[in-house]
Amino acid sequence: ASLQDGADWRACLRPTRAGVALLAHGATDPKGALDLTRTLLERPEALAAPVREMLADPGRILVVDAAPGPTPALSAILPLADVICVVLLADSGSAAFI
């Protein structure tokens, strides 16, 4: 949520008891969500660059839980993905997505 602020993501990582670091999206309001979408449409590198930096650590595995469907955030990080897992529901919309 603080992508536009240029926050250092490493400082935002939260350790868990399972030994996994969590980077939560953070709280935002509808205007903030729209502003973030606009930023990613105009500058996808605003998200891709910090993700690429995180992936530079060979011991790090990055799992991204993205919103369903095509989004500017997904478009920004998709070229960096080694594995893509799409969760589908047992409904006609998911069947159409296939």
Side-chain angles (χ1 to χ4, degrees):
S2 61
L3 184 64
Q4 295 106 296
D5 303 336
D8 180 7
W9 288 24
R10 289 170 292 204
C12 298
L13 289 171
R14 301 291 177 247
T16 67
R17 282 188 258 164
V20 174
L22 175 68
L23 179 63
H25 181 277
T28 190
D29 58 10
K31 182 186 179 315
L34 289 173
D35 289 345
L36 180 59
T37 297
R38 189 175 309 111
T39 296
L40 293 175
L41 283 169
E42 294 169 358
R43 296 182 303 111
E45 196 60 24
L47 178 59
V51 168
R52 194 177 299 108
E53 182 180 318
M54 282 189 257
L55 291 173
D57 178 353
R60 179 169 289 144
I61 296 172
L62 181 65
V63 177
V64 177
D65 182 9
T71 64
L74 185 59
S75 295
I77 62 171
L78 200 56
L80 305 173
D82 290 326
V83 176
I84 301 166
C85 176
V86 178
V87 178
L88 300 175
L89 301 173
D91 65 356
S92 59
S94 292
F97 184 67
I98 294 173

